[in-house]
Structures are given as C-alpha cells and as structure tokens.
C-alpha cells in the first residue's frame, strides 16, 4: 500500500527535525511550483490538510528530500 504525506505534514516534519532551518507550507508549495516535488490534489472538500490540499507519494518525497540534503529515511520512516 502506498503512503502519502500532505504538504502540511511535510513542512512540519522538516521543521521539527531541522532546527537550523524552518520549512513552511509555502516553502514546500514553492518546490511543487518549481517542479521539484510532484504531488496529487486531495479530492473533496475535507478540512484538516493545511493551507494546500496536496499530498506526495512517500517514495518520491524521500528521493526528492535526499537530493536536497535531508535525511528522508529518518524524517519519514516506513513504520510510522
């Protein structure tokens, strides 16, 4: 089963684990606009996804974050 992370969750985890740099939802959304991170729109009018209703597939997210210098395996473990 594939796992997905919302823009809000990505920003929160990156900020918590990267004390030297704050990552906001706007920053993650900028990566999406730049074509660095590919996402899918979350369908429906559900609330609780943060500012941007998008999510990224876990494996793609990890590869992008690794390229950017983050320790994606520690931030987004497969067993959480």
């Amino acid at each position: 089963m594939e796992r997905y992370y919302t823009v809000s969750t990505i920003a929160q985890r990156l900020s918590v684990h990267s004390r030297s740099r704050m990552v906001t939802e706007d920053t993650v959304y900028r990566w999406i606009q730049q074509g660095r991170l590919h996402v899918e729109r979350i369908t429906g009018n559900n609330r609780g996804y943060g500012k941007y209703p998008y999510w990224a597939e876990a494996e793609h997210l990890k590869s992008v974050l690794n390229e950017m210098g983050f320790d994606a395996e520690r931030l987004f473990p497969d067993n959480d």
Side-chain angles (χ1 to χ4, degrees), residues 5 8 19 28 34 38 40 50 53-54 57-58 65 68 75 79:
Y5 293 99
S8 178
R19 296 180 187 188
V28 176
Q34 294 168 348
H38 300 283
E40 296 177 22
Y54 299 98
E57 194 273 321
L65 292 177
M68 296 172 71
L75 299 170
N79 60 354

Side-chain angles (χ1 to χ4, degrees), residues 8 21 27 33 37 44 53 69 76:
S8 178
R21 54 181 157 173
T27 301
Q33 290 177 315
L37 181 63
F76 298 92

Side-chain angles (χ1 to χ4, degrees), residues 5-12 25 28-29 32 39 52 54-55:
Y5 293 99
T6 64
V7 170
S8 178
T9 301
I10 296 166
Q12 180 184 23
E25 289 182 48
V28 176
Y29 188 68
I32 296 165
V39 295
Y52 301 104
Y54 299 98
W55 55 16

Side-chain angles (χ1 to χ4, degrees), residues 16-80:
V16 167
H17 291 288
S18 302
R19 296 180 187 188
S20 62
R21 54 181 157 173
M22 178 72 166
V23 178
T24 64
E25 289 182 48
D26 291 331
T27 301
V28 176
Y29 188 68
R30 213 170 306 122
W31 299 340
I32 296 165
Q33 290 177 315
Q34 294 168 348
R36 295 171 90 178
L37 181 63
H38 300 283
V39 295
E40 296 177 22
R41 185 168 184 77
I42 299 171
T43 58
N45 292 328
N46 297 326
R47 298 248 180 224
Y49 293 114
K51 189 173 181 180
Y52 301 104
Y54 299 98
W55 55 16
E57 194 273 321
E59 292 306 313
H60 170 69
L61 173 64
K62 288 178 185 181
S63 69
V64 169
L65 292 177
N66 284 332
E67 289 175 12
M68 296 172 71
F70 291 97
D71 183 4
E73 292 302 323
R74 183 175 62 89
L75 299 170
F76 298 92
D78 290 333
N79 60 354
D80 69 346

